[in-house]
Amino acid sequence: MVPPGGYGWWYLDALSDDGSHGLTIIAFVGSVFSPYYARARAKAPDGAADPMAHCAINVALYGPGIDAWVFSEYGASEVERRPEQLQVGSSAIGWEGDCLVVRFDERTAVFGQRVAGTVRLYPSAFPNRPEPLDAHGRHTWFPAAPHAHVVAELTAPQLTLRGTGYHDANFGDEPLEAGFHDWSWSRAALPDRTVVLYDAHRCDGSTLQLGRVFHADGHVEPLAAEQTMTLGRTRWWMARSTRTDGAPAKVVRTLEDTPFYARTQVATAVGEVPVRAVHESLSLSRFCSPLVQTMLPFRIRRVS
């Protein structure tokens, strides 16, 4: 369940085996980055706005000839939730046996460019290890299929992508900005395991440093990765950093660069094995600023 004023999101990303293309898909119930949901919470008693009235699909494509970004928000009448599937507008994410399938058909907010296709994620294992991200258990991370193979068949634009994949979900009983000032996250895939790092500054003054190694057989173990590596700021002056076990880390490409959020492809190593990591930086204090809240509707296609 997603409680009033809360959120749930289901995240999937993939990098092609040759490193040239990537995609990220996020389905939201109670869209955490929606200015419309933020306004609804501000007006509702105790912030108890209906999350089903603010569901969204975000699709981002990266690589030569296919860069595209979609964020479509829908009302409750356009949404259907079942145990195995979430349907949002004309897009859906759900399980077909042990395969996670995403079918999307959306348009960009500014020029109306069509972005459509089918993505299939084949997990190596299901660790089934939800992790609380705060002391009170109001925010939870669920790494559902952290080590996986992805096959994506896109029709608009036309592309076939095969490579490493990752799937998780996050849930919160309160807005994300009520629990955190900022956070960073990364995942790096190896043939036999995936390494995930979470770092956050909580609003209560405490910090989160979480590291996990998800093996292809389902075994999970902690990871210290004690050395902090700065990755430089974006054009919007967003600070970026990651942790390693001593290996260097450098930016390969900045995939998303916004006033409050950055997604980056990072070259580093796990042990002595070179890897390409998907890295995210999020500033929730920036997200809450009046300037950013004014800018956000220009990137969001509010359908109903």
Side-chain angles (χ1 to χ4, degrees):
M1 297 297 296
V2 178
Y7 66 87
W9 78 67
W10 293 260
Y11 170 96
L12 179 154
D13 73 36
L15 286 176
S16 62
D17 289 329
D18 63 3
S20 63
H21 291 89
L23 67 85
T24 301
I25 301 171
I26 314 174
F28 297 89
V29 172
S31 177
V32 293
F33 302 130
S34 168
Y36 309 107
Y37 191 32
R39 293 173 195 169
R41 291 196 305 266
K43 293 178 180 179
D46 298 321
D50 181 9
M52 288 291 288
H54 303 276
C55 297
I57 290 287
N58 176 219
V59 180
L61 308 176
Y62 311 108
I66 71 156
D67 277 11
W69 196 87
V70 166
F71 202 114
S72 302
E73 182 173 332
Y74 295 86
S77 63
E78 307 282 344
V79 181
E80 182 181 356
R81 288 188 67 189
R82 300 193 298 273
E84 77 286 353
Q85 187 181 68
L86 170 64
Q87 178 92 29
V88 181
S90 56
S91 302
I93 179 170
W95 290 97
E96 297 181 6
D98 285 344
C99 178
L100 182 68
V101 181
V102 185
R103 295 180 175 89
F104 56 91
D105 192 343
E106 303 291 337
R107 293 190 178 273
T108 61
V110 179
F111 298 111
Q113 173 190 358
R114 185 167 178 252
V115 179
T118 300
V119 179
R120 290 179 170 84
L121 180 140
Y122 301 91
S124 302
F126 297 93
N128 194 26
R129 286 175 58 107
E131 302 258 8
L133 298 178
D134 67 313
H136 303 289
R138 297 191 181 108
H139 303 268
T140 302
W141 168 55
F142 181 53
H147 187 275
H149 177 71
V150 166
V151 177
E153 299 285 350
L154 277 63
T155 55
Q158 289 194 341
L159 175 74
T160 298
L161 183 154
R162 291 180 172 84
T164 63
Y166 173 90
H167 168 53
D168 69 9
N170 283 63
F171 302 95
D173 296 338
E174 63 183 7
L176 200 60
E177 61 269 24
F180 305 94
H181 289 300
D182 57 62
W183 76 16
S184 65
W185 170 92
S186 67
R187 72 94 174 168
L190 289 85
D192 61 342
R193 63 196 187 278
T194 293
V195 174
V196 178
L197 297 171
Y198 246 118
D199 295 90
H201 293 96
R202 304 186 183 102
C203 291
D204 63 7
S206 63
T207 58
L208 169 71
Q209 279 198 334
L210 185 152
R212 296 289 183 269
V213 180
F214 297 95
H215 293 269
D217 62 2
H219 174 63
V220 183
E221 60 183 358
L223 176 69
E226 297 178 348
Q227 186 166 333
T228 299
M229 305 290 293
T230 59
L231 298 172
R233 293 181 180 268
T234 69
R235 288 177 297 177
W236 282 101
W237 212 239
M238 275 283 296
R240 294 176 291 184
S241 64
T242 189
R243 287 184 289 124
T244 73
D245 56 6
K250 67 176 183 179
V251 173
V252 176
R253 182 185 178 193
T254 300
L255 303 172
E256 296 289 343
D257 186 0
T258 78
F260 70 96
Y261 174 82
R263 181 177 292 137
T264 309
Q265 192 175 7
V266 174
T268 183
V270 176
E272 297 182 355
V273 182
V275 294
R276 293 287 179 95
V278 177
H279 181 278
E280 297 180 324
S281 302
L282 172 65
S283 171
L284 290 156
S285 55
R286 285 190 173 197
F287 167 75
C288 293
S289 73
L291 176 60
V292 170
Q293 289 295 306
T294 302
M295 296 167 65
L296 280 172
F298 294 97
R299 297 298 305 275
I300 297 175
R301 186 175 69 103
R302 175 72 184 178
V303 179
S304 59

